[in-house]
Amino acid sequence: MASVLSAKHYHNEDAAFAYVERHVWPNGPTCPHCGGVDRISKMEGKATRKGLHKCYQCRKQFTVRQGTIFESSHVPLHIWLQAIFFVAGSKKGISSNQLARTLGLTVKTAWFMSHRIREAMRSGELAPLGGEGGVVEIDETFIGTREGAVRTHAAWHKMPVLSLVHRESGQSRSFVVDKATREFILPIVQANVDRETYIMTDESRIYTGAHYQFLGHGTVNHHAGEYGRGRIHTNTVEGYFSIFKRGMKGVYQWCAEKHLHRYLAEFDFRYNNRAALGCNDTERADALLRGIVGKRLTYQTACARA
């Protein structure tokens, strides 16, 4: 059985451009300047940049890189595709150091590529989870340490994360929250969970009275050693957190708070496109590739304080 990475588009620049164009322009080239789809031709010639097209409506040139996470990058497109495959196919992520060694890049370049790829993983989905009597499990966890925070025995120095998992579809949605309090968490839950849904949480008082806003509210008391009563449990979202924490602690080891939302997008994307839902590594990489448009991230933006 041949390796997935033996595919031509992972080693040949012309094949890489053709592969990306098929995913970004399934109906043919679209001009990123004027949005035109007619009177576009591919530029030929030995001195012409690879993948260069010209729109004869606005008279401007462009490639499939423009308006995507690949824009203004000097890294060859076939190396980008390898990086996408490694990030999409690594269940708990791949560090910038490992990516740099594997692809022959500097660590700085690999770090920036990784953040661009995570940006493409952000779905921006607005439709509420659940509905039709389904179940959404809700839980919070804490990761890392806030910049400048004083360590305490509690978790107040850590960065709080809220995750919602729709049990029927297996889809997750995660958020960085300022504080793990009712004031910050309930509005996110109300905006992201359909009213025709049963919610499952632990015994936290954050969700007291939530049964009035949804079909029902089941709770388990973890402090009393209770982890489930039939369909009432939060084991699914706890499973998501186990993957997230193993990746953040074991692979990435440290993350600044201003970048945490991108790491959450990465773990959400892989969880929502996992093998258990019938998505293999190649299909996951292709799904990521379809999300690269309009997600350009500059180095200055990536490094800026959120």
Side-chain angles (χ1 to χ4, degrees), residues 3-286:
S3 166
V4 173
L5 288 173
S6 64
K8 193 173 181 180
H9 58 271
Y10 289 122
H11 305 279
N12 179 276
E13 195 69 352
D14 290 322
F17 268 95
Y19 190 79
V20 174
E21 287 172 4
R22 285 199 301 273
H23 287 81
V24 176
W25 298 329
N27 300 314
T30 301
C31 176
H33 301 289
C34 68
V37 295
D38 300 319
R39 299 174 60 203
I40 294 176
S41 64
K42 188 172 182 179
M43 307 294 287
E44 304 291 349
K46 293 182 179 180
T48 304
R49 283 184 293 144
K50 290 186 181 297
L52 190 65
H53 292 72
K54 183 170 182 177
C55 173
Y56 287 93
Q57 296 177 72
C58 66
R59 314 294 295 183
K60 292 182 180 179
Q61 298 178 345
F62 61 92
T63 72
V64 74
R65 284 175 175 260
Q66 198 157 343
T68 72
I69 63 171
F70 307 136
E71 187 170 346
S72 298
S73 170
H74 297 291
V75 177
L77 201 56
H78 69 277
I79 299 297
W80 266 106
L81 293 182
Q82 291 182 40
I84 284 174
F85 181 83
F86 286 129
V87 174
S90 303
K91 186 174 183 178
K92 299 177 185 70
I94 180 170
S95 70
S96 298
N97 282 280
Q98 181 64 56
L99 202 61
R101 291 194 299 271
T102 303
L103 301 180
L105 305 168
T106 65
V107 174
K108 181 178 178 180
T109 297
W111 177 87
F112 185 34
M113 289 175 69
S114 297
H115 275 297
R116 285 190 178 195
I117 292 169
R118 291 185 190 105
E119 192 68 18
M121 289 172 156
R122 295 177 66 184
S123 68
E125 182 64 47
L126 298 176
L129 290 171
E132 299 181 351
V135 174
V136 170
E137 298 180 21
I138 307 169
D139 202 6
E140 323 86 50
T141 193
F142 298 86
I143 194 79
T145 302
R146 290 183 186 275
E147 185 179 352
V150 178
R151 287 180 172 270
T152 65
H153 291 293
W156 295 109
H157 63 283
K158 293 180 176 287
M159 297 177 284
V161 169
L162 171 71
S163 287
L164 320 173
V165 177
H166 183 213
R167 196 180 288 176
E168 283 73 23
S169 67
Q171 299 295 295
S172 68
R173 195 175 295 177
S174 303
F175 307 86
V176 182
V177 292
D178 290 335
K179 294 180 181 178
T181 61
R182 183 183 182 89
E183 175 189 1
F184 290 97
I185 287 178
L186 268 190
I188 296 175
V189 173
Q190 292 164 354
N192 287 273
V193 179
D194 191 284
R195 294 294 186 269
E196 298 298 312
T197 303
Y198 291 95
I199 62 170
M200 303 292 171
T201 71
D202 58 19
E203 70 281 8
S204 173
R205 286 181 290 181
I206 291 172
Y207 307 101
T208 301
H211 61 281
Y212 292 115
Q213 302 173 46
F214 301 97
L215 281 183
H217 178 199
T219 63
V220 287
N221 192 340
H222 288 166
H223 282 106
E226 180 186 50
Y227 290 93
R229 300 188 312 278
R231 74 193 292 252
I232 300 176
H233 62 80
T234 58
N235 297 337
T236 316
V237 68
E238 294 285 354
Y240 170 85
F241 282 149
S242 72
I243 298 170
F244 171 65
K245 286 193 171 183
R246 287 189 184 108
M248 294 303 293
K249 293 180 179 180
V251 177
Y252 297 124
Q253 300 183 22
W254 185 84
C255 166
E257 187 173 7
K258 63 185 177 183
H259 298 309
L260 184 56
H261 65 290
R262 294 194 191 96
Y263 285 94
L264 285 172
E266 174 186 351
F267 283 91
D268 276 347
F269 176 85
R270 280 197 299 263
Y271 188 84
N272 295 340
N273 294 278
R274 61 193 185 277
L277 298 179
C279 188
N280 61 34
D281 289 347
T282 300
E283 291 168 337
R284 194 177 308 113
D286 287 347

